[in-house]
Amino acid sequence: MGDLVRNSKITINSDGRVLIAASGAEMKDLLSIVAEFYLSRNLTQGRKLSMPVPYDNNHLICLETAKEEVDKIMVTDAPLLFPPGQLALTALRHANEVHRVLDYERYLENMLLRQNSIHSSTELIQHLNAIDSLVRTYKFPSEKDMKHINRKLRSCWGLSSHDDSKKRDKKSKHKSKRSAG
């Protein structure tokens, strides 16, 4: 994660987008850091609680759910359309909707205030909703589609089973002509 910061892979555009040039593994690391930072630092900050909220197993489960959500996001077009930071925030938001561990809206507001963003949380939420929409509407290919894709890939790689059967057919026809003549 330190390499992301040291190599200037994290930038904040004037339009408020957080851009992170990172791989899928680095995205999961970033998600872990964001979640752990928020959970450990902000659980009780600014709130009067009668009892402290422990950093318990629910937080870890929420983090695992967010990582699973990142995997779902990565098979859609979202990584091509949105910066990695927004993808991570979307995954964290979805995990929080399931487990109710964080005050997510407050987290977004605080994040935007700290970044001195000229954009509102409403704009960011619109982007996160668009990512959610891509994930919800994505349809995994059927088994038939996967077989067709596999055949196409094999032919591109020169490993087509169809080509092998053609070669066998040609050899057998050639042998039968020799034996007949």
Side-chain angles (χ1 to χ4, degrees), residues 110-139:
N110 287 337
M111 183 185 67
L112 290 172
L113 285 173
R114 281 188 300 230
Q115 298 292 327
N116 296 322
S117 176
I118 59 172
H119 297 279
S120 68
S121 62
T122 305
E123 290 172 303
L124 180 58
I125 288 171
Q126 287 175 344
H127 291 285
L128 302 184
N129 288 342
I131 295 167
D132 266 340
S133 176
L134 286 170
V135 173
R136 279 193 314 273
T137 59
Y138 181 77
K139 292 187 174 137

Side-chain angles (χ1 to χ4, degrees), residues 144-175:
K144 180 181 175 185
D145 292 336
M146 290 301 290
K147 286 180 181 177
H148 178 72
I149 291 167
N150 192 27
R151 278 195 303 271
K152 290 281 189 182
L153 286 172
R154 284 178 167 268
S155 86
C156 291
W157 292 334
L159 302 173
S160 174
S161 60
H162 181 66
D163 290 341
D164 293 340
S165 64
K166 277 185 179 178
K167 288 177 187 174
R168 279 192 293 263
D169 289 345
K170 284 182 181 179
K171 285 181 183 177
S172 64
K173 286 181 183 177
H174 186 64
K175 285 181 182 178

Side-chain angles (χ1 to χ4, degrees), residues 95-112:
N96 189 57
E97 287 171 357
V98 173
H99 300 287
R100 301 282 179 209
V101 174
L102 313 169
D103 182 355
Y104 191 79
E105 285 73 25
R106 183 174 158 205
Y107 169 73
L108 285 181
E109 289 291 336
N110 287 337
M111 183 185 67
L112 290 172

Side-chain angles (χ1 to χ4, degrees), residues 5-58:
V5 175
R6 276 187 235 104
N7 296 333
S8 299
K9 291 183 180 180
I10 299 175
T11 55
I12 300 174
N13 284 352
S14 60
D15 66 357
R17 288 184 175 200
V18 178
L19 300 176
I20 302 169
S23 67
E26 289 172 324
M27 280 292 297
K28 286 182 179 181
D29 289 344
L30 175 65
L31 179 62
S32 295
I33 289 169
V34 167
E36 288 179 29
F37 175 77
Y38 176 74
L39 292 172
S40 64
R41 185 172 181 268
N42 296 332
L43 269 175
T44 58
Q45 184 179 357
R47 287 191 262 171
K48 301 239 181 199
L49 299 173
S50 57
M51 292 176 52
V53 178
Y55 187 80
D56 61 9
N57 203 27
N58 289 335

Side-chain angles (χ1 to χ4, degrees), residues 65-84:
T65 302
K67 287 179 182 180
E68 291 170 9
E69 195 64 22
V70 166
D71 290 338
K72 290 178 190 174
I73 290 171
M74 296 308 282
V75 298
T76 69
D77 290 337
L80 304 172
L81 302 171
F82 298 95

